[in-house]
Amino acid sequence: MDEFKFNEVKDVKWESITPEDGNIKFRKNRGGGSRNFLKAIALILVSAITGGLSGAYVVKKYNTPKTNYYQNANLTQNNTPTTESPKNAINKVSETVGPAVVGINNKGESFWGTVEQGSGSGIIFDANGYIVTNYHVIEGATNVSVKLASGNVFQAKLVGADKRSDLAVIKINANNLPTAKFGDSSKVRVGDLAVAIGNPLGEEFAGTVTSGIISALNRTMQYDGAIYKVLQTDAAINPGNSGGALCNENGEVIGINSLKIGPEAKAEGMGFAISINEAKGIIDSIMNYGKVKRPGLGVKGQSVSSKDGSIKGFYVNEVILGSGAASAGIKPTDIIIEVDKTKINSFEDLAEVLDKHKIGDSVSCKVWRNGSEKSFKIVLSEMKETDK
């Protein structure tokens, strides 16, 4: 602040007042009145200026906005971060697997011509254009188109399908495609991170990523003729996610999204994916043979239970001519109650036992016939699509 010097201003000197001729008279201080008056005016002006400047200083000092110490020094004027946030596990999974997940459109013929029958998702597992999806995604299709994450669209042909597992392999004419890595679903634990990638509700929501956890392991479900061995997750799975990828935090596919239990069952967060270990053998069989070769007894039938629950098993409606069951002496109306020393209460139980064997194996079998048990040895043959 600038300093101001003041000249000393002496007091105005007034002469003493004395009576004269009865009147009061003032004597002038020669040459000093005007000067003293001017000095007084100058003093007032200087005081006014000084006060104004001092006041301005005080106002400026105490009203200057303080620095906003909460302002992030790393932000520019438009509040855009100058550096990216570190990637989390879901970011990494999305970037790794997302390019290998495709959209699938299913078209069929009707009275009105070619119509869209539905849409779903698929996973590229071979760079030469091989894609795995659910069978129900391409079922009944006369035309299947595939849209890549890049936006390119290709026509696809069916390599092979398996209705029982609800899996199919299709192929597009393309090379050097991004592929997804299959993991090991036997190492999955309840509570592990689960990331679902697919195209729920069609192309408009292509590449949707949802996340949750693994809710349960080794579920077995039967729906519309298919038997599912699945992982349960609370990651959101919606129509169109079918055939898409369920991934672990390492960016490996651990399941193929297939089913959900919806609000009609008053349930939320219950989605299911075919475990990838279950799918691997089916994919290999389709790639090698164009179908899945499974061992079978050579019978057709259904699950039954007596009224009192004492007898449960698989009721034989028909025995396939030339099958292992026919050769062993199995007859219609027999109830298969045990195979390979395992109690059979339903078709699912029978299928689970047979899946542990291969074509040509011999298994023990017990049936309930006319009120008593009978034992047989059956050589497993290749199960036809219409067999059980």
Side-chain angles (χ1 to χ4, degrees), residues 217-236:
L217 308 173
N218 304 319
R219 299 286 197 205
T220 299
M221 304 179 69
Q222 186 173 9
Y223 177 76
D224 196 25
I227 298 176
Y228 296 87
K229 295 181 179 179
V230 294
L231 303 172
Q232 182 180 331
T233 179
D234 66 350

Side-chain angles (χ1 to χ4, degrees), residues 184-241:
D184 183 355
S185 54
S186 69
K187 296 180 179 179
V188 175
R189 301 165 299 182
V190 172
D192 282 352
L193 177 69
V195 181
I197 306 177
N199 301 314
L201 307 181
E203 292 182 2
E204 184 177 357
F205 300 100
T208 293
V209 177
T210 58
S211 66
I213 62 168
I214 297 297
S215 304
L217 308 173
N218 304 319
R219 299 286 197 205
T220 299
M221 304 179 69
Q222 186 173 9
Y223 177 76
D224 196 25
I227 298 176
Y228 296 87
K229 295 181 179 179
V230 294
L231 303 172
Q232 182 180 331
T233 179
D234 66 350
I237 295 176
N238 295 291
N241 271 115

Side-chain angles (χ1 to χ4, degrees), residues 100-241:
V101 176
V102 304
I104 298 175
N105 283 322
N106 172 344
K107 295 182 179 180
E109 297 297 329
S110 72
F111 175 79
W112 305 102
T114 302
V115 296
E116 289 198 10
Q117 298 184 147
S119 64
S121 306
I123 307 166
I124 304 172
F125 66 90
D126 185 292
N128 293 316
Y130 289 94
I131 299 165
V132 62
T133 186
N134 285 132
Y135 170 73
H136 74 259
V137 170
I138 54 89
E139 184 178 9
T142 56
N143 181 284
V144 175
S145 63
V146 171
K147 187 173 184 178
L148 305 182
S150 64
N152 294 327
V153 178
F154 295 86
Q155 294 301 305
K157 66 177 183 179
L158 179 66
V159 176
D162 181 56
K163 182 176 181 179
R164 179 175 154 185
S165 65
D166 193 25
L167 290 173
V169 174
I170 59 177
K171 186 182 185 306
I172 61 174
N173 188 21
N175 298 306
N176 300 317
L177 297 175
T179 60
K181 179 181 179 181
F182 290 166
D184 183 355
S185 54
S186 69
K187 296 180 179 179
V188 175
R189 301 165 299 182
V190 172
D192 282 352
L193 177 69
V195 181
I197 306 177
N199 301 314
L201 307 181
E203 292 182 2
E204 184 177 357
F205 300 100
T208 293
V209 177
T210 58
S211 66
I213 62 168
I214 297 297
S215 304
L217 308 173
N218 304 319
R219 299 286 197 205
T220 299
M221 304 179 69
Q222 186 173 9
Y223 177 76
D224 196 25
I227 298 176
Y228 296 87
K229 295 181 179 179
V230 294
L231 303 172
Q232 182 180 331
T233 179
D234 66 350
I237 295 176
N238 295 291
N241 271 115

Side-chain angles (χ1 to χ4, degrees), residues 6-37:
F6 300 95
N7 293 322
E8 184 179 358
V9 179
K10 295 182 179 179
D11 293 336
V12 177
K13 184 177 181 181
W14 295 93
E15 295 286 342
S16 62
I17 303 172
T18 58
E20 183 177 343
D21 297 332
N23 297 317
I24 298 175
K25 294 183 179 180
F26 295 93
R27 292 183 63 189
K28 295 181 180 180
N29 188 6
R30 295 180 180 176
S34 298
R35 287 194 299 271
N36 289 336
F37 178 75

Side-chain angles (χ1 to χ4, degrees), residues 72-385:
N72 189 336
N74 292 326
L75 300 182
T76 60
Q77 290 182 349
N78 62 1
N79 295 325
T80 302
T82 57
T83 57
E84 292 184 0
S85 300
K87 294 180 181 178
N88 59 37
I90 299 173
N91 297 144
K92 295 175 182 177
V93 171
S94 177
E95 293 176 0
T96 300
V97 185
V101 176
V102 304
I104 298 175
N105 283 322
N106 172 344
K107 295 182 179 180
E109 297 297 329
S110 72
F111 175 79
W112 305 102
T114 302
V115 296
E116 289 198 10
Q117 298 184 147
S119 64
S121 306
I123 307 166
I124 304 172
F125 66 90
D126 185 292
N128 293 316
Y130 289 94
I131 299 165
V132 62
T133 186
N134 285 132
Y135 170 73
H136 74 259
V137 170
I138 54 89
E139 184 178 9
T142 56
N143 181 284
V144 175
S145 63
V146 171
K147 187 173 184 178
L148 305 182
S150 64
N152 294 327
V153 178
F154 295 86
Q155 294 301 305
K157 66 177 183 179
L158 179 66
V159 176
D162 181 56
K163 182 176 181 179
R164 179 175 154 185
S165 65
D166 193 25
L167 290 173
V169 174
I170 59 177
K171 186 182 185 306
I172 61 174
N173 188 21
N175 298 306
N176 300 317
L177 297 175
T179 60
K181 179 181 179 181
F182 290 166
D184 183 355
S185 54
S186 69
K187 296 180 179 179
V188 175
R189 301 165 299 182
V190 172
D192 282 352
L193 177 69
V195 181
I197 306 177
N199 301 314
L201 307 181
E203 292 182 2
E204 184 177 357
F205 300 100
T208 293
V209 177
T210 58
S211 66
I213 62 168
I214 297 297
S215 304
L217 308 173
N218 304 319
R219 299 286 197 205
T220 299
M221 304 179 69
Q222 186 173 9
Y223 177 76
D224 196 25
I227 298 176
Y228 296 87
K229 295 181 179 179
V230 294
L231 303 172
Q232 182 180 331
T233 179
D234 66 350
I237 295 176
N238 295 291
N241 271 115
S242 293
L246 186 70
C247 310
N248 62 20
E249 63 181 323
N250 297 320
E252 299 170 331
V253 177
I254 54 173
I256 298 174
N257 299 321
S258 301
L259 296 169
K260 69 170 293 186
I261 296 177
E264 66 277 1
K266 297 182 179 180
E268 293 183 3
M270 295 188 69
F272 302 91
I274 300 171
S275 63
I276 201 62
N277 285 11
E278 176 74 12
K280 285 176 183 177
I282 294 168
I283 293 170
D284 287 343
S285 185
I286 290 175
M287 293 289 285
N288 291 326
Y289 309 110
K291 62 179 181 178
V292 177
K293 291 186 175 183
R294 287 193 177 88
L297 297 175
V299 296
K300 294 181 181 181
Q302 61 194 43
S303 302
V304 294
S305 176
S306 62
K307 290 183 178 180
D308 61 3
S310 60
I311 302 297
K312 293 182 179 180
F314 184 81
Y315 182 83
V316 178
N317 288 323
E318 180 183 349
V319 178
I320 307 301
L321 185 64
S323 68
S327 300
I330 302 296
K331 298 179 179 180
T333 71
D334 283 348
I335 299 175
I336 299 173
I337 58 175
E338 183 179 297
V339 173
D340 204 20
K341 299 181 179 180
T342 300
K343 294 292 183 182
I344 304 300
N345 294 321
S346 64
F347 169 66
E348 289 81 6
D349 294 338
L350 178 58
E352 188 172 354
V353 172
L354 296 180
D355 284 346
K356 297 176 182 178
H357 292 274
K358 60 182 184 294
I359 296 170
D361 285 352
S362 178
V363 297
S364 60
C365 178
K366 287 184 179 180
V367 304
W368 182 263
R369 179 186 294 175
N370 298 326
S372 62
E373 292 184 7
K374 292 186 176 296
S375 298
F376 300 89
K377 281 286 187 180
I378 301 176
V379 177
L380 301 178
S381 55
E382 181 180 350
M383 185 176 69
K384 307 300 182 183
E385 184 64 31

